[in-house]
Amino acid sequence: MTDLSSTEPKAHRSLKVADARTKKRNAAEKRFRAYGIVAIAIGGLFLLALTYNILKAGLPAFTQYVVELEVTLTQDEFDAAESQMLKTAAYTDIFIGNFEANLAERGVAVPYDADAIERLLGKVGGDIRSYYRENLDDIGQPVTFQLQTSSRVEGYFKGRVNRDTIVDSRFLMGSDLDIVDALRDSGVLTSRFNWDFITGKDSGVDNPGGAGIGASAIGSLFMMLVVLFLSLPIGVAASIYLEEFAPKNRLTDLVEVNISNLAAVPSIVFGILGLSVFIQFAHLPQSAPLVGGLVLTLMTLPTIIISTRASLKSVPPSIRDAALGIGASKMQSVFHHVLPLAMPGILTGTIIGLAQALGETAPLLLIGMVGFVAREYPDGVVSGFMDPNSAMPAQIYTWAARADVGFYEKAWGGIIVLLIFLLLMNALAIFLRKKFERRW
Amino acid sequence: MTDYKISAKGVQVYYGDTHAIKDVDVDIEDKTVTAFIGPSGCGKSTFLRTLNRMNDTIDICRVQGDIRIDGEDIYDSAVDPVQLRAKVGMVFQKPNPFPKSIYDNVAYGPKIHGLARNKAELDEIVESSLRKAALWTEAKDRLNAPGTGLSGGQQQRLCIARAIATAPEVLLMDEPCSALDPIATAQVEELIDELRQSFSVVIVTHSMQQAARVSQKTAFFHLGNLVEYGETDKIFTNPEDPRTESYISGRIG
Ligand SMILES: Nc1ncnc2c1ncn2[C@@H]1O[C@H](COP(=O)(O)OP(=O)(O)OP(=O)(O)O)[C@@H](O)[C@H]1O
Ligand SMILES: [Mg+2]
C-alpha cells in the first residue's frame, strides 16, 4: 500500500503520446478486428459459392421447352379415329397432318417421320386423344396444344448433349437435332417457365421432364401443420411448467438434462423410434404425413422447449415480483406479464425448430416417406394426413439417387424451392419478433 | 395483543444454510409508520418479505416462527398467499413497472381483484392512486405512454401508485426513496404520512433523517438480530443498546 501511494511526484506525460501498454492494447484490438473481418469474409465467400452453385445447377429445372401447335379436330376425324383399332396411332397421324400444315405455313422445310416425332415429343397421339375425350366441346374448334419436349431434347438445350457428343439411340438421334433447331428458329418450339415443376408430382424414373415438387411440398406442409400444432402447445406448456412452477429437485434436474440430451440425439434415431412406435406398434399407415409429423414433433420438441425456457428465463425476475407483490396469482403473473415478454423468443425458437424439421430427411426415410407418389392432386396425394406422401427433402433425395441425368437439375431445383420455403419461414420469424418485441 | 396489526414471534429465516433472520419478535401497530433501519445485509428486506410471503418465491428460503396479521397466522396452510398479498402491498427496492402503459400499470391490480365495476370507476382509482403517489401532474397527459419510459424516480412513484391502487391494509416499502430526488422524496414522505391515516406502513430506509421524519416506531436490525425496537423518538435520542447508538451516530454500517 505505502509504496503505491508514494509521495514522489509523477513525471508529466502528454495524453497525446501513447505509452507502450496503450500501444500494445490498441494493436491487439486492431488485430482482433482484422480476424473478425477475415472470418466474416470467408463465410461470405462460401455462401456466395454455394448460392452460385445451387442456382447454376438448379435454375434450369424451372425452364421447360414446349412445342406449340394449333390443332383443329373435326367431328368426322374424331369419329373415324375412335372407330379404329389403333386409336392413338390415328391421333398421331392427325397430329402429324396438322404439324405439317403448320410448318408449311411458316415455311419450314425439314425432313421428319413419325418415329422422330415420338422421340421429340413422346406419345403425342395419347395426349391428344385424352384431351379430346375430356373436352368433347372443343371438337371442331382450333385448340392450341403445348407439348413438352422429351428430356433428351431439353438436355440438348440445357447443354447436357451437343452435336459432337450425341450418340444415336432410340431416345434421340443426331438427325433429330436438325428438326429441333428448325422448330426453334421458326418459333414453334419455345421455352417457358416450368410451372409443372412447382405444382407437379413425381414422375417415372425415365421421365425427368415430368417430375415436380408440388406433391411433396404438400406432404411437407401437412407435416409442418402436425408439428406446429403439437409441438408448440406441448413445448410451451412444458417449458412454463418446468421454468415457473416445477419444484427444483433431483427429478426436475433429471428431466432438464434429458431434454438437453434429446436435442442432440441424431434425427435418424427419432425415425427408428417412429417406425417402431407409430407404425409397428400403433399401426398407423406407412408413408403418411401424420406419422412424419409425429416423428418430427418428437425431434422439434427439445428445440422449442430449450428456446422457450431461455426466453422465459430472460424475463427479469422483478416483473414476476411486481405481479406477485400486488396479489396476482402465479398463473396470472406468467400469462399476463412473463409470457408476453417471452413471446418473441418463443416464436423465433418455434420457427427455427420448424425450419429444421422441414429440412429433415433421415427420419423420413425410415418411415417410408420416400418414393414415387404419382397420384394426381387435389384428391390423391393432397387428400390428407393419412395418405401416402413424400416430403420435399425426401423427394430431393430420391431424385438425386436416380440414374437419368435429367433428375440432377430436378434435385437442385428442389433444393432451391426448399431454400425459398426456409427463407420465407425465417422472414416470418423476424417479422413476428419485431411485431411482438416491446421496445420499452 | 390483538390490537397489533402485525405480530411476529420467534421468526427465523434461512437461505439454505445462511441464517438471515435470527429469532425476531416484533409487533407492528395499525395506523402507524414503522421504520426498519440497519446496516446493509442485516436482513431488513428479508424480514419485510416474510410479512407478505414474498419469500415463498425463493426456493432456498425457509421461514420459521409465528407471524400474525389481524390475529391470523399468515403461514397457516389454509392461507392463500395471493389473497395475503392483495391485503399486504409491497413497493420494491428497485422500481419495477410492468412494460405496459402507465394506466395499465396502475389498473392491473384493481382489475385482477375486481375492485372496479366499470371503466369510470377504474379511471377513478387510477387517478386517485396516481395523485396520492404524487405522479398525477406529470403523468396525466401521458397515461398511455409506457411506464418504463419514466425516469427512475417517476417509476418508483408509479410502483407506489400501483401498490396503493389495490387498497391494501398494510404497505411494505423497501427503500422506496433510494432513487428519488429530494422533492420527490418529500412528496413520498408526505404520502406515507397520509397513508398512515388508513393503514399501517412498514418502511425500510437507509436514511436516519427519513426514519426520524416519517416513522413513529423504529426497529434496528443488526446481523439478522432485532437489536432494538421502540418509539422512534426514543431510539434516536436515547437508544438502549450500544450498537444502536453507534449505528445512528455513524460508527457501524
Ligand atoms: N435470495 C437470496 N439467496 C441467498 N441469500 C440471500 C438472498 N437474499 C438475501 N440473502 C442474504 O440474506 C442476508 C440479508 O439480506 P437482505 O437483503 O435482507 O439485507 P438488507 O438488510 O435488505 O440489505 P440492504 O440494506 O443492502 O438492502 C444477506 O446476508 C444476504 O446475503
Ligand atoms: Mg434490502
Side-chain angles (χ1 to χ4, degrees), chain B residues 15-16 18 20-21 38-47 58 60 93 174-175 204 206:
Chain B
Y15 289 108
T18 319
I21 292 290
S40 187
C42 67
K44 306 176 298 289
S45 299
T46 302
F47 187 71
I58 301 171
I60 54 167
Q93 197 165 343
D174 196 345
E175 296 181 41
V204 172
H206 277 292

Side-chain angles (χ1 to χ4, degrees), chain B residues 84-123:
Chain B
L84 170 71
R85 289 182 203 132
K87 184 166 157 174
V88 183
M90 183 153 196
V91 176
F92 296 82
Q93 197 165 343
K94 245 175 55 190
N96 54 356
F98 299 129
K100 296 182 190 293
S101 70
I102 294 175
Y103 183 94
D104 288 339
N105 260 283
V106 184
Y108 182 68
K111 258 190 214 156
I112 58 171
H113 296 300
L115 299 184
R117 268 163 308 174
N118 50 43
K119 178 87 169 76
E121 278 188 21
L122 196 60
D123 288 349

Side-chain angles (χ1 to χ4, degrees), chain A residues 318 322 324 326-327 336-337 440, chain B residues 57 82 85 96 99-100 108 113 146:
Chain A
S318 62
L324 296 177
I326 49 173
H336 295 168
H337 301 289
W440 52 37
Chain B
T57 59
V82 169
R85 289 182 203 132
N96 54 356
K100 296 182 190 293
Y108 182 68
H113 296 300

Side-chain angles (χ1 to χ4, degrees), chain B residues 9-21:
Chain B
K9 291 237 168 339
V11 176
Q12 317 270 1
V13 181
Y14 300 87
Y15 289 108
D17 293 332
T18 319
H19 198 171
I21 292 290

Side-chain angles (χ1 to χ4, degrees), chain B residues 181-192:
Chain B
D181 66 19
I183 297 168
T185 303
Q187 285 168 330
V188 171
E189 285 177 6
E190 213 169 284
L191 160 71
I192 292 171

Side-chain angles (χ1 to χ4, degrees), chain A residues 28 41 119 129 135 168 175 194 199 224 232 267 274 349 389 438:
Chain A
R119 286 196 296 273
R129 175 167 185 242
N135 304 286
D168 284 354
S175 57
N194 190 355
T199 59
M224 289 306 109
L232 183 63
S267 56
N389 204 335
R438 283 160 204 251

